[in-house]
Each structure stands twice: as structure tokens, then as C-alpha cells.
Amino acid sequence: MNRENESRDGAQRLHWWQRAPRIPTLALFVVVALALLGTFALILATVEAERSQRQQAARTSAILESLDQIVRATMSGETGQRGYFITSDTRYLAPYREGRERYSQEMTRLRQQMGDDLPVDQADLLAEIARLGDAKWAEMTGVIELVGQRRIPDAHARVLSDEGQLAMTGLRRAVAKLEDIERVRLAQAVQNASAAEARILPSLAALFVVIVCALALGLWQAIRSAEAEALAANAAVIAEARDRADILAKELNHRVKNLFAVILAIVKMSARGDQAAAPAVDRIAKRIHALVTAHEVTQGSGKDQTVDFADLIGKAIAPYRSSSERCELDGGELVLPGKHAVPLGLVLHELVTNAVKYGAWAQPGGLLRVTWSREGDRAQVLWEEIAAGEAAAPAEAGREGFGSALIRSSERQLGGTITRRFGERGIVVEMDFVLEGGES
């Protein structure tokens, strides 16, 4: 009877284990998918901001060129007018005629470049430029006609009047105002593009943290499921439960890698046919490739394989490293057992994401220095963060956070010690572990 009750209880517990993991797995998948979609939306916004910047730069350059040509053409016409007035030689009218034709062409081009839907201030300035330019050319034409009619005193009187000078001065002033407005609009577009691009790195860091946490929670759920199975059934059922836990972890890892591939494909598709957006998309794609590589490293190698520590730390910091995030890596050859890859990889990613969010890389100019060495059958790793300014004092935590718990767990798996302390310029982490021991 007791055996029958135990069998019934074991069957009930097994039935609970079979159903329970489905909800957490779906929830983890939804969280990772939402994080990827949010990052994709931010990438699209960055590409659009940079496209707007390029369009504004081209528009501003064309408008400034047209304004410069309008002023130059008017000055050229003024030179021809004065030469003809002084000498009455029609050969001096060549600059005048050339300038007048160029003035007409550039005014037409300027109106096309600025379009019809203009703010009130720009529309007023455009109208004022046209009015003052036409007035200046009308004054020059009048003087030339008077000279041609041999009415030199009348032409002299009109040249000495303030009509032409006032028109030219007003034209230059209106042109300068319109140039200032266009330069301000270009500066704003550049600022918007820079702000959008600056949000990419924290977004990728947050995405990686979400994925690592999701994998950790998935692994924790799989372990709990395996323990429940061990209490509910015999050795054959336990083996089956472990197989299912492995399949669950592999499936979650497979889905995460598929999501990376999908978002990378969408990013590349968004710039298809747009050569101007290709450089920005290429930089974003390289960041995502580096993130995929770092994710694969944290999955570890088989127990009989080995991992090079330089390769492990290099791939761990690759998604976050750039010209503004300084990093110094120094150490000799350090080959780790394959079973050390997961715990050590998770510790390194916890440290580098903290450096991005709170530590040396939270502000420009910070320095991350990692050195490692081997003494006998033990390995030593020194992680130093040197902030650009004075490091903030760490807040006293009321309870152990997930990152600290992860480091403590990894410490036990590595069979060594991981100590953290806060110096004047940032955090210092010292690791000491055996190369052949550790928990199995």
C-alpha cells in the first residue's frame, strides 16, 4: 500500500513537472523577443536619424552654395556696371551680362532647393533676398541704359545715390540670416543623429543582460525540474528528465540565436538600396555579430575540451569595446578546462556589463585593465576599473543581488575565490582558482 501511494505521489509530481516548465519557458522567450524588438526599433530610429542628417547636410550645402553664387553674381554685375560707366566701352558689360544670367539661374535653383513648405521666417527671408536682388539689378540696368543714352550726369547721379548700396547691403544681410538658419538646422540634425547613435551601446548591453538572465533562469528551472523528477521516479525517469532539461536549454539557446539572426537580417534589409545608410548599418551589424559571438562563448565547451582565456575575455568585451572605451589586456598563455567556460564567462559578462552601466565605461575616458597569469596549477586574474573622474562610493545593498549570487555560484564551480573591493578610481576584482579542480 505504501509503495502504491508513493507511486501515485511520484506520478502526480511528474505530471506537475511536465506542465510547469512550459509557462516559464514561454515567459522567458517573450521577454527576450520583446528586448530584441525594442533594440530593433532603436536601431531603425538611429538609421533614420542619420539619414535625416545626411539629407539636411546635402540641403544646407546646396542652399549655401546658391546663396554664395547669388552674391557673387551680383558683385560681378556691379563690376561690369562700373567699368562700363567709367569707360563707356561695351566690352566691360560681359561680366554684367554673365552675372545677370547666373543670378537668375541661382534664384530659380534656390527656390527649388528650399521648396514650398517653408517656415515663416525662411519664406520671408527668401522673398526679401529676391526683392533686394531684383532692386540691385534694376539699379544697375538703369545706370547702364543712361550711359548708353549718353546721359552721363543722370547716370552719375544714380550711381552716387544710396539706392544700389542699400539694396546690396540688405541683400548681404538677408543672405547671412538665411545661412545662419540653415547652419542651425544642420547642427540640430547632427545632434539628433549623435544622440540616437549613443543609445545603441547601452541598448545592446541591456539586451545581452536580458539574454544571460533568461538563460540563467532557464537553467535554474531545468535544474529544479530535474530535482523534482529525481524525487518522483526511478533512475530511468531521472535520465529522461535530464535529457528533457538539456533539450530545453538547447532549444532556448537555439531560439535566442535564431532571434539574433532574424534581427540581423532585418537590419540589413532596412538599408537595402540605400547606399548612404550602409556605413551605419554595417557598424550596427558588427556590434550584433560581436554580441552573438560573446553569447556563444558563454555556452561553454565540452568537459574534455579547453578554452583560451585571452579568447574568452576578448569575446566577452567585444560587444562593448570601441574607441571611447579604453581597455588593456595583458597576460601569458592561460588554457582553461572546458567546464570553466560557463562560470568564468558569466562572471566576466557580469563585470563588463557593470563597467558599462556603472563603472569605468559609464563615462568617456575610463580605462578597463585585465591581467592574468598562471602559477603551477592555479590561475590568477586581476580586473581593474579606472574611472575618468572620482569613482562614486558603492551603495550598501540590503540583500545580495543577482550579480553577487552569480559570482558566488561561479566561485564554487571554479574551486577558488573571487574577491571584490572598491578603490579610489573604481572596482578591483581578484580571481584565484584551480585549473583542474572545481565542482563537476
Side-chain angles (χ1 to χ4, degrees):
M1 181 65 67
N2 291 335
R3 290 184 177 179
E4 292 179 357
N5 292 336
E6 291 176 358
S7 299
R8 189 181 300 109
D9 293 340
Q12 291 175 351
R13 286 194 292 269
L14 180 59
H15 182 63
W16 169 87
W17 172 82
Q18 289 176 330
R19 291 181 299 159
R22 297 179 184 176
I23 298 177
T25 302
L26 179 61
L28 291 175
F29 179 75
V30 169
V31 169
V32 174
L34 290 176
L36 289 171
L37 289 176
T39 303
F40 172 63
L42 186 58
I43 290 173
L44 286 183
T46 302
V47 173
E48 182 60 29
E50 293 193 353
R51 182 183 291 112
S52 298
Q53 174 195 343
R54 289 189 296 273
Q55 292 174 349
Q56 182 61 42
R59 178 181 186 273
T60 299
S61 178
I63 290 175
L64 294 180
E65 176 64 21
S66 293
L67 291 173
D68 182 66
Q69 289 299 323
I70 287 171
V71 175
R72 288 177 179 271
T74 305
M75 293 174 63
S76 179
E78 192 175 38
T79 300
Q81 174 217 35
R82 290 176 180 174
Y84 181 63
F85 171 74
I86 294 172
T87 64
S88 297
D89 188 344
T90 55
R91 289 179 298 177
Y92 286 95
L93 291 179
Y96 166 81
R97 295 191 183 99
E98 181 186 352
R100 183 160 190 169
E101 182 179 356
R102 187 150 45 102
Y103 168 80
S104 178
Q105 293 174 352
E106 293 299 332
M107 282 300 304
T108 301
R109 186 177 292 112
L110 178 62
R111 291 190 178 96
Q112 293 174 350
Q113 290 165 350
M114 299 194 68
D116 298 328
D117 188 15
L118 290 176
V120 177
D121 55 347
Q122 287 186 308
D124 292 342
L125 283 173
L126 181 60
E128 185 176 0
I129 289 172
R131 180 182 61 81
L132 292 170
D134 292 344
K136 177 60 179 176
W137 281 100
E139 182 265 343
M140 290 188 291
T141 302
V143 171
I144 290 173
E145 289 176 353
L146 290 173
V147 174
Q149 297 170 5
R150 304 302 181 184
R151 296 165 58 185
I152 304 302
D154 294 337
H156 187 265
R158 189 162 186 178
V159 168
L160 293 179
S161 68
D162 293 336
E163 177 185 356
Q165 182 179 1
L166 290 176
M168 193 64 187
T169 302
L171 177 62
R172 286 195 177 98
R173 186 181 299 113
V175 166
K177 289 182 180 179
L178 188 55
E179 288 176 344
D180 290 342
I181 291 176
E182 285 300 318
R183 289 192 179 96
V184 169
R185 292 185 63 179
L186 177 59
Q188 183 64 40
V190 172
Q191 182 179 359
N192 292 341
S194 299
E197 189 171 354
R199 290 193 293 266
I200 287 294
L201 184 59
S203 175
L204 292 177
L207 173 62
F208 188 79
V209 171
V210 169
I211 292 175
V212 171
C213 291
L215 291 174
L217 291 175
L219 179 61
W220 174 76
Q221 181 64 28
I223 293 174
R224 289 192 59 186
S225 300
E227 291 177 349
E229 180 64 14
L231 296 175
N234 54 24
V237 178
I238 294 175
E240 182 183 358
R242 288 177 177 173
D243 290 340
R244 292 181 179 179
D246 291 339
I247 292 174
L248 178 63
K250 291 178 181 178
E251 177 63 17
L252 182 60
N253 182 42
H254 178 68
R255 293 187 182 185
V256 169
K257 293 173 68 175
N258 283 346
L259 287 172
F260 272 118
V262 169
I263 193 170
L264 183 60
I266 293 176
V267 168
K268 292 182 177 179
M269 289 172 59
S270 65
R272 185 178 297 170
D274 188 352
Q275 296 297 328
V281 171
D282 184 62
R283 290 196 303 270
I284 295 170
K286 289 180 180 178
R287 287 284 187 178
I288 296 177
H289 274 303
L291 199 58
V292 172
T293 302
H295 163 71
E296 291 176 347
V297 171
T298 60
Q299 303 312 301
S301 307
K303 290 188 177 182
D304 296 332
Q305 299 178 4
T306 58
V307 177
D308 184 72
F309 181 82
D311 183 57
L312 184 65
I313 183 64
K315 291 180 179 179
I317 68 174
Y320 317 100
R321 191 174 184 178
S322 68
S323 59
S324 60
E325 280 75 36
R326 296 188 298 146
C327 180
E328 295 179 1
L329 305 178
D330 184 30
E333 182 180 4
L334 181 58
V335 179
L336 308 174
K339 60 186 176 182
H340 280 6
V342 170
L344 191 56
L346 292 177
V347 170
L348 293 175
H349 280 293
E350 176 69 18
L351 294 176
V352 75
T353 50
N354 283 340
V356 171
K357 292 189 293 183
Y358 312 114
W361 287 352
Q363 295 180 355
L367 172 64
L368 171 61
R369 181 185 295 122
V370 183
T371 57
W372 61 89
S373 62
R374 173 173 181 168
E375 294 183 8
D377 62 346
R378 302 191 69 84
Q380 287 82 34
V381 179
L382 179 61
W383 176 289
E384 298 177 276
E385 294 182 24
I386 304 174
E390 184 177 357
E396 292 294 330
R399 59 185 178 85
E400 186 180 58
F402 176 80
S404 299
L406 184 146
I407 290 177
R408 297 280 78 79
S409 175
S410 301
E411 185 180 49
R412 290 191 296 271
Q413 295 180 57
L414 293 171
T417 59
I418 302 177
T419 59
R420 293 181 295 173
R421 55 185 173 83
F422 295 88
E424 296 180 357
R425 303 297 297 276
I427 190 172
V428 177
V429 181
E430 298 177 357
M431 307 182 201
D432 186 349
F433 52 90
V434 295
L435 295 175
E436 300 299 332
E439 289 186 8
S440 60

